[in-house]
Amino acid sequence: MATTAINTIVSTKELHFQPGGVPASFEVTVVNGSDRFASFQLELVAAGAAADRNGDWYSISPTASSKKPPGAATQFHVSILDTPVPGFVGMMNIRVRVFSMELPDETREILRLVVERGTGLIALQLELPVKQFQINPGSRIEVPVRVYNPGQLLSNALLTEKAIDPRWLPLSGERRLQVPPGKSVETTFTYQPPFGATAPSQAYPFTLEATHNNGPASRVSGTLEVMPMGFVEFTATPKQRTIPRKLRWKFWQSHPVTYNLEAKNASNLPQEATLELAGENSPECDLTLVPETSAIAPEETGEFLLTARKKRPWFGRNRKLVIDLTGIWSDRRVDTRNEHQTLELVVKPVLPLWLQLLGGLFLLYLLWWLSWLNPRNPFFGHNEPVNTVKFNGVGERLISGSNDQTIIEWNISGFFNPIVNPELRKFPNKGNRFWQWLTHPFQNCQSPGCTDLVAEKAVRVLQYRPVNNNWVATGLENGEIHLWNLTENRPDPLQSFVYQKDDRVFALEFTQDSRALFSGHGSGAVLQWDLKEGERPDSTLGARAPNLKQFNFAVYALKFVGNDDRTLAVAGQLNQLVLWNWRENTEAVVPYPEGGKDDYINSLDTAEFNPNLLATADTHGYITLWNMQPCLNGGADCQRIEQWEDGHKGQPVRSVALSEDGCYLVSGGDDGRVMLWPLNIDGSRAQPQGEPIMGAKNKNFNSVDIKEVDDHLLIAAGSDDHLEVRVQSHSRLPNLGCDLP
C-alpha cells in the first residue's frame, strides 16, 4: 500500500472576509511524508476569479519552505487581502493547492470563503490599451480608455482631460459613464493638434482623470507625439551683383555688395539656420554673413545679409565669380527646399575692355618694336655693322662680331621660327641698352663727325676654338685679343691680351690642336700666342711675349693650308699672298696680280676635308680657287684652278667661305649680294653663274660662312644694313657630282 508523500492540514474550513476591512487569515500545515528532503509551496485558486488576478488578492508567508527532512512540518500563514471576484457577495470555494518541486505528488484542500458586503470606498481603475500615439498637425486621433469598477456598487464616473490644451479636443474634454460593479466600460477621447507655432513638433503628455461617487479619483497618463510637418526654404534677392554697382569719380575703388537671403521656417519645428560655402573651392572673394546663425521659430522668417568684397583688377574682361551656398538647418525632419543657392558676382576691371584693347594693340606694337621681329630694334642684335660671322662645328650656333664692341651667340633655329628668339646671349654685357638708347638715341659711328669711342673696341674678327668649340677668340680694332669661354656665363673674357696698342687685329687662326693662336695685324705683324697655359684659370697668358713674324704689308687674312698645320697662308694689302712655314720660318710668295696700297686680298678659306683647296677674294672683285698641293710638297707653283670677277659686278668681294667637303663656295661683297657657287670635285665652278642667296640694298656684306647640315646648307652673312646678321637655308645639289649623297 502506497504512503502519502504530502500531508496537508488547513486550520479552518470556512472563512469570512469583508472587503475594505481587516484581512482574513488562516494557517496551512504541511508535513513531509516522503523518504527524502523536500521543499513545499502553496497556491490559492478561487472559483470564478479572472486568470490575471491569481496571486494579487492574497499573501502567503513564507512564499516557499526550505527543504525539510522526512517527517518535518512546515506552517504557512495565508491572508485574504481582497475579494477574488470584484463585486461578488456570497460564498465561494477556495482551493488550497500544495506541491513540491522534489516530489511528484500534490494535495488540494477546499476552503469556503464567505464574502460579505464591503464597507470602504474603492477607486475606479483606468487603463490605456495604447499609451503612446503619433499624430500629424491638423489630423484627428481617437485615444481609447477602459474604466473598470472593482467595487460592489454602481459608479457614475466623470472622465476629464487634465493636461492637453482644450483647443486640441474638438468634441469635448469630458466623458460621463455608468460603470457596473466588477465591470469595465470603454470610451474614447478625440485629439486634433493645430499646425504651427502653437503646437511645435514634440511629445506632449496627456492625463485622464476619473472621479465617481463611490470612491476617490484615479488617473492614467499617456504620450501624444506631434509629428514634424511643413517645409523650410532659402531665397536670395538678387542673385547677381556687380562690382562696382555704379560709376563713381573714384573709378578704381572696389565697394562691397550685399545679397539679401531669407530663411523661411514653414514647419512646426523650431530651427537654427546658417549658410555655408558649398564645395571645397573658395569663390576668390571675401564673404561676410550677418548673422552667422539665426534661431527661427515655426512659421517665422529669418534674414541674412551676405556681403561680398573683391578687389578689382586693372586689366582683363568682366570676371564672373560663382558663389555656391548651402543652407544648413538644425532639424532636417521636414522638407528642405532651395537649400542650394547659386549667386553670381560680376567683377569689372578698372580699365574698360575697349580701353584695354587699345592699350593691348599699343603694347603689341611696342613688344614687336622691342622684339627680334623688328629689324630696326635698337635693343636687339647688333646696332652697328657686323664684321664677322662663324658657324660652330655642328651648325646649331652662330657667333658674330660688330663695330658695337659686342659678340652675339645665336640660336640657328630662331632664324627659321619667328616665335623663337635667335639671340642666346651677348657679351660683353654693356648694361642697360634701353637707357643707352634714351641717352644717345641717334648715336651712330658711321655718321660723319662721330666722336664716340665705340669704334675703338670694334670686333674685327672672331674664330672658334677647333677643340670642342667651347672658346671663341675675338680680335678688336684697338689691337686687343679676347678669349671667351662659351660654357660660362661671365661678364668678362677668360683671357685678354695685347701685343701693341692700336695695332688692329684683322685675322685669327687656331691650330687644329688649339694649342696656338695666330693673329694678323694692320702693322703687318703675325703673332703666335701659346695657349697651353691658358687652360689654367690662374694662367697669365697676356703677360708673355708672343712669337712675332713681320710682313711688309697689312695682314687681312690668315688660313692654314695642307694637312700638318705647318703652313699658314697670309694675305692682305698690295694683293700679297704668302705661304709661311712657321715651324721652319720659311716663306713662299704665291703669284697674284699686284695691287696698290688700296688693293687687298680680303678673305681666305680652305675646305675642312680638303685643306689643299684655297679660296681667295680681293677688292678688285676677283674670286680665285687654288690647289695648294704642288707648292706645299715640292717647290712648284701653286695651281690656280679658276678665277672670275663677274660674281659681284666687279665690286670688292669682302668674304668667301668653303663648305667642309669643298663642294660649295659662298661669297659676299659690296654689291649687296651673297652668292652661292657649286663646285666640281676638282674645285672648279660647276655652273658659270652663281646663285644669289641674300641681298641688301646699297649695303655691303662684310663676312659670310657656310655649313652643311643634313640635307641642306646653312648660309650666314654679316652686313652694314639694319639686318646685320642673316641666316638662310638652301637645298644641297648632289646632282652636280661633287656633293654625293
Side-chain angles (χ1 to χ4, degrees):
M1 182 176 179
T3 59
T4 303
I6 302 175
N7 297 319
T8 304
I9 302 172
V10 180
S11 61
T12 181
K13 296 295 183 179
E14 185 176 297
L15 187 66
H16 289 261
F17 172 69
Q18 186 179 33
V22 178
S25 302
F26 64 95
E27 282 76 28
V28 178
T29 302
V30 180
V31 179
N32 184 3
S34 68
D35 57 355
R36 68 190 73 172
F37 279 81
S39 60
F40 300 95
Q41 296 183 41
L42 194 65
E43 180 184 57
L44 300 185
V45 179
D52 58 355
R53 294 214 61 198
N54 286 341
D56 65 346
W57 53 275
Y58 65 89
S59 66
I60 300 174
S61 180
T63 56
S65 70
S66 60
K67 287 186 177 183
K68 298 290 186 178
T74 301
Q75 189 176 50
F76 292 92
H77 181 78
V78 182
S79 297
I80 304 299
L81 305 175
D82 196 1
T83 176
V85 179
F88 177 80
V89 178
M91 181 181 291
M92 67 174 60
N93 289 330
I94 303 296
R95 186 170 64 248
V96 180
R97 175 175 172 259
V98 179
F99 59 93
S100 173
M101 300 298 295
E102 290 81 17
L103 301 175
D105 298 335
E106 65 177 38
T107 62
R108 292 181 177 87
E109 298 291 338
I110 299 299
L111 171 69
R112 291 186 297 276
L113 178 64
V114 179
V115 180
E116 300 175 352
R117 187 173 297 277
T119 60
L121 299 178
I122 300 176
L124 297 177
Q125 296 179 3
L126 301 180
E127 180 185 359
L128 293 174
V130 180
K131 292 188 175 183
Q132 296 181 347
F133 298 88
Q134 292 182 339
I135 185 172
N136 292 323
S139 300
R140 291 189 179 188
I141 190 172
E142 302 290 336
V143 177
V145 59
R146 185 180 296 121
V147 183
Y148 173 69
N149 183 6
Q152 299 172 338
L153 301 175
L154 178 66
S155 294
N156 293 316
L158 174 63
L159 271 65
T160 308
E161 168 58 60
K162 292 294 185 180
I164 297 295
D165 189 332
R167 291 175 293 179
W168 289 32
L169 299 156
L171 300 181
S172 175
E174 295 181 347
R175 298 287 187 274
R176 293 186 180 275
L177 304 172
Q178 283 189 346
V179 186
K183 301 294 182 179
S184 296
V185 177
E186 290 189 359
T187 187
T188 60
F189 279 79
T190 302
Y191 294 89
Q192 185 180 19
F195 177 83
T198 57
S201 175
Q202 64 183 47
Y204 294 89
F206 65 89
T207 301
L208 298 177
E209 182 182 70
T211 59
H212 69 121
N213 55 342
N214 295 324
S218 58
R219 293 188 174 192
V220 66
S221 296
T223 302
L224 193 65
E225 183 180 359
V226 178
M227 300 303 294
M229 189 174 179
F231 64 91
V232 290
E233 69 173 343
F234 277 98
T235 57
T237 54
K239 288 186 174 292
Q240 186 184 78
R241 289 289 194 185
T242 302
I243 297 178
R245 295 180 59 184
K246 59 182 180 179
L247 293 179
R248 304 171 183 265
W249 72 271
K250 294 183 178 180
F251 63 92
W252 61 88
Q253 293 183 345
S254 304
H255 296 281
V257 294
T258 302
Y259 300 86
N260 296 319
L261 297 109
E262 290 187 351
K264 182 179 180 180
N265 183 6
S267 74
N268 60 350
L269 291 172
Q271 297 277 2
E272 285 191 359
T274 187
L275 288 156
E276 292 183 356
L277 283 175
E280 299 179 355
N281 297 327
S282 169
E284 301 179 2
C285 61
D286 295 330
L287 300 176
T288 304
L289 183 66
V290 179
E292 293 184 357
T293 304
S294 178
I296 307 174
E299 296 186 303
E300 291 188 2
T301 300
E303 293 186 354
F304 293 89
L305 295 180
L306 180 67
T307 302
R309 294 178 174 83
K310 176 65 177 178
K311 187 175 181 181
R312 299 163 59 198
W314 280 88
F315 305 99
R317 301 176 60 185
N318 290 351
R319 186 176 181 187
K320 183 181 293 185
L321 303 180
V322 177
I323 305 172
D324 289 325
L325 299 174
T326 299
I328 307 298
W329 297 93
S330 59
D331 197 329
R332 301 180 62 86
R333 289 180 294 167
V334 293
D335 183 26
T336 56
R337 301 179 183 177
N338 303 323
E339 60 180 333
H340 297 290
Q341 292 290 326
T342 300
L343 308 179
E344 291 183 355
L345 178 62
V346 179
V347 182
K348 295 183 177 181
V350 176
L351 298 179
L353 185 59
W354 64 267
L355 186 59
Q356 295 180 55
L357 292 176
L358 290 179
L361 292 175
F362 174 76
L363 181 60
L364 287 176
Y365 173 78
L366 182 62
L367 292 176
W368 171 85
W369 191 78
L370 293 173
S371 73
W372 60 90
L373 301 175
N374 177 15
R376 300 184 182 276
N377 182 358
F379 315 116
F380 170 78
H382 297 293
N383 50 29
E384 295 207 23
V386 173
N387 298 315
T388 177
V389 292
K390 287 290 181 182
F391 285 110
N392 69 350
V394 294
E396 64 179 1
R397 297 285 187 268
L398 178 75
I399 200 158
S400 61
S402 167
N403 282 352
D404 63 4
Q405 304 185 26
T406 65
I407 57 176
I408 296 179
E409 187 178 14
W410 304 87
N411 181 3
I412 296 300
S413 62
F415 288 95
F416 304 102
N417 188 346
I419 66 173
V420 176
N421 185 355
E423 182 178 314
L424 290 175
R425 59 173 173 167
K426 176 180 291 191
F427 41 93
N429 187 349
K430 302 183 71 61
N432 191 317
R433 299 168 69 187
F434 181 72
W435 176 252
Q436 294 175 3
W437 179 81
L438 288 178
T439 54
H440 302 85
F442 304 108
Q443 179 175 324
N444 186 346
C445 282
Q446 290 179 308
S447 304
C450 175
T451 59
D452 192 15
L453 299 179
V454 169
E456 288 189 2
K457 290 190 176 183
V459 179
R460 300 294 305 180
V461 64
L462 56 81
Q463 194 68 254
Y464 273 107
R465 178 191 189 193
V467 177
N468 299 328
N469 286 173
N470 57 342
W471 287 6
V472 64
T474 61
L476 307 186
E477 185 78 13
N478 65 353
E480 294 181 10
I481 297 175
H482 294 168
L483 288 179
W484 296 89
N485 190 340
L486 300 181
T487 62
E488 297 179 356
N489 189 16
R490 51 190 299 169
D492 51 348
L494 178 69
Q495 294 290 340
S496 180
F497 43 93
V498 62
Y499 178 73
Q500 184 174 347
K501 190 68 173 175
D502 297 328
D503 189 3
R504 293 181 295 174
V505 182
F506 287 119
L508 292 172
E509 183 74 357
F510 281 97
T511 57
Q512 287 300 313
D513 59 9
S514 300
R515 295 192 176 189
L517 173 67
F518 290 85
S519 61
H521 297 258
S523 64
V526 175
L527 303 176
Q528 177 192 351
W529 304 89
D530 185 6
L531 301 183
K532 290 185 291 184
E533 296 296 328
E535 298 284 352
R536 300 202 309 268
D538 58 347
S539 63
T540 56
L541 182 63
R544 299 182 57 185
N547 295 327
L548 171 64
K549 176 64 177 180
Q550 185 66 48
F551 292 89
N552 60 357
F553 56 88
V555 177
Y556 266 61
L558 297 175
K559 198 66 183 179
F560 278 109
V561 294
N563 295 309
D564 54 4
D565 275 357
R566 290 176 173 271
T567 304
L568 190 65
V570 183
Q573 194 178 27
L574 306 176
N575 285 352
Q576 293 291 309
L577 178 59
V578 178
L579 299 180
W580 173 41
N581 186 328
W582 63 277
R583 294 185 183 275
E584 299 176 4
N585 197 20
T586 60
E587 301 177 28
V589 177
V590 178
Y592 200 92
E594 294 184 1
K597 63 177 182 178
D598 295 327
D599 299 323
Y600 297 87
I601 296 178
N602 293 316
S603 178
L604 299 175
D605 198 23
T606 59
E608 180 179 353
F609 305 138
N610 185 9
N612 292 319
L613 179 62
L614 176 70
T616 64
D618 62 31
T619 54
H620 285 283
Y622 284 100
I623 299 174
T624 308
L625 291 168
W626 304 81
N627 178 11
M628 307 301 291
Q629 187 173 8
C631 50
L632 291 177
N633 295 337
D637 292 337
C638 298
Q639 178 187 357
R640 187 171 66 183
I641 301 173
E642 189 172 0
Q643 185 180 66
W644 63 96
E645 64 174 341
D646 58 349
H648 291 271
K649 302 178 182 180
Q651 297 191 46
V653 180
R654 299 291 178 180
S655 178
V656 289
L658 285 165
S659 61
E660 296 97 317
D661 55 6
C663 292
Y664 302 94
L665 173 71
V666 65
S667 60
D670 288 1
D671 64 339
R673 294 190 304 166
V674 174
M675 303 293 293
L676 176 65
W677 309 90
L679 304 180
N680 295 316
I681 296 177
D682 62 356
S684 61
R685 286 184 294 174
Q687 296 174 340
Q689 299 296 327
E691 179 182 352
I693 299 298
M694 304 176 193
K697 187 176 181 180
N698 300 324
K699 296 294 182 179
N700 304 334
F701 281 99
N702 301 318
S703 178
V704 294
D705 198 10
I706 185 171
K707 177 66 65 174
E708 294 174 330
V709 179
D710 298 329
D711 60 347
H712 60 277
L713 303 172
L714 290 177
I715 300 171
S719 66
D720 291 351
D721 69 345
H722 59 274
L723 291 174
E724 293 92 354
V725 177
R726 293 175 172 84
V727 176
Q728 289 195 16
S729 176
H730 192 281
S731 299
R732 297 171 73 163
L733 304 170
N735 59 321
L736 298 180
C738 178
D739 187 9
L740 297 177

